[in-house]
Amino acid sequence: MRTTFKTGLFAYTGAALALMLAACGTSSTPETGASAPGKSVILISPNPVGVNSFLQLGVKGAQAAAKEIGASFKLYESKDPNSIAQNVDAAVRAKPTIIVGISFSFDDIFSTVPKQHPDLQFLEVDSCAKTQAPNLTCVSFKEHEAAYLAGVEAGMLSKSGKIGVVAPLDTPFMHRWIDPFYAGAKSVNPKTAGTTLYVGGNNPFSDPARAKSQTQTMIGQGADVVAASASGGNQGVFEAVAAAGAKSFGVDVNQCAQSPGNIIDNVIKHVDVAESAAIKDIAAGKTGGTKVYGLAEGGVGVNALDGDVASSQCTVASSPEVIAKVKQVRDDIVAGKVTVADPLAG
C-alpha cells in the first residue's frame, strides 16, 4: 500500500521546547494529554536539538505520538557519546513505555541494552543495531533515492558542471546523501564533476561557520551548486551560496524559506510521520522488526514532487522541465526501471 506524505506536514513551528535537566542530558517535559499512570515516551537525541531540523522532526514525531497514545513525553538531549550512554541508562531506570533513540549514534548501545532489558521496548529511528533484539523496533529510510532525484535537478541546472556536497563526516551512512547525488547529476549530464568537503571538528553536525568555510572553498573551485547535508550547519552553506550567487539544496525539511531564491530544492525525509507511526504500533503491541521508507512508501522525496511546489519558495518551482524529469525518474525508481545504488549496501 502506498502512502503519500505531504511536505507541509513537516514545517517546524519553531516553538521553544521547555527544557529541564534530566539525567546527564536535558529533558523537555511538556504534558501531552491525559496520561495513564506510568505510560510515557522518552526520546534521547544524539546531540542538542537546537536548530537541527532532523532532530526537531524527531521531537515533533515523538510528541505527537505520545499525545495520541495518552502518554507523557520527555526529551533527553545528549552532548557526546558518553552522555548518550548515560541518558540511555537514565531512561532504562525510569522504565517508560518506549525508549526512542534517534540516528546511527545508537547502533552500538542498542545492540546490547535492549537484550539486557527484555521487559522494556526500544525504538531506533533512522538506523538499526546490527544485532536486533526482539524488543527493538527500527525505522529507516532510503535517503539515497531522494538524493538521486536532487542530483538530477543539480545536473540539469548547474551551469558550470561542477557541483558539491558539504557533509558533517566521511562515513558510509553520510554517503547516502553524497554518492547518489552525483549519480543522479551524471545521469542527465555525464560530464558533471562532484566534490565533497566535510565539516569535521568538534561539532560536525552543528557548525555553521565551518560549513560556510567549506562551501566557500568549493565555490572558489568552480562549483555553482552545493548540497547542504551538514545538519545544524546548513545555514552556513546557504549564506555562502547566497553571497556568491550560487545555488544549494536543503535536507530533511523544506529549508527554502531560510534563504529565498538560493535553494533549488530539499532532500526530504519524513522522520516525524514514520517515527510517530512506529511509536503507536509499539504501544499497540506491534513490536520488533524494521520498516523501511523509500520513494514507493512516500517516506522520502523532494519538494519538486509536491503539488504545492509553487508556494515552496524553492527555485525549482520555476523550472517545469526539471520538475517533469524528476517525476519521471521517481516513477522509474518506484517501478524498478532505475536502481539507485545504496552506499551502505556495499
Side-chain angles (χ1 to χ4, degrees), residues 195-216:
T195 300
T196 308
L197 292 178
Y198 300 95
V199 176
N202 295 324
N203 196 16
F205 289 90
S206 187
D207 194 335
R210 288 176 67 94
K212 182 176 182 177
S213 177
Q214 296 293 56
T215 305
Q216 291 169 331

Side-chain angles (χ1 to χ4, degrees), residues 139-271:
V139 172
S140 61
F141 301 84
K142 296 180 180 178
E143 300 94 348
H144 52 294
E145 293 184 345
Y148 187 92
L149 296 183
V152 169
E153 296 177 62
M156 294 180 71
L157 294 171
S158 172
K159 296 178 181 179
S160 69
K162 295 181 179 180
I163 63 176
V165 180
V166 174
L169 296 168
D170 186 2
T171 67
F173 185 73
M174 289 311 307
H175 274 270
R176 274 190 156 192
W177 282 264
I178 300 167
D179 301 355
F181 180 70
Y182 296 146
K186 290 181 179 181
S187 74
V188 294
N189 182 1
K191 295 182 179 180
T192 302
T195 300
T196 308
L197 292 178
Y198 300 95
V199 176
N202 295 324
N203 196 16
F205 289 90
S206 187
D207 194 335
R210 288 176 67 94
K212 182 176 182 177
S213 177
Q214 296 293 56
T215 305
Q216 291 169 331
T217 297
M218 202 173 292
I219 292 173
Q221 296 171 348
D224 62 349
V225 176
V226 180
S229 296
S231 297
N234 279 5
Q235 189 59 39
V237 179
F238 302 151
E239 290 174 2
V241 299
K247 290 288 187 286
S248 186
F249 283 84
V251 71
D252 294 331
V253 298
N254 180 5
Q255 297 188 304
C256 292
Q258 292 181 220
S259 188
N262 302 307
I263 302 176
I264 294 171
D265 205 335
N266 302 272
V267 178
I268 300 292
K269 184 159 64 174
H270 303 318
V271 175

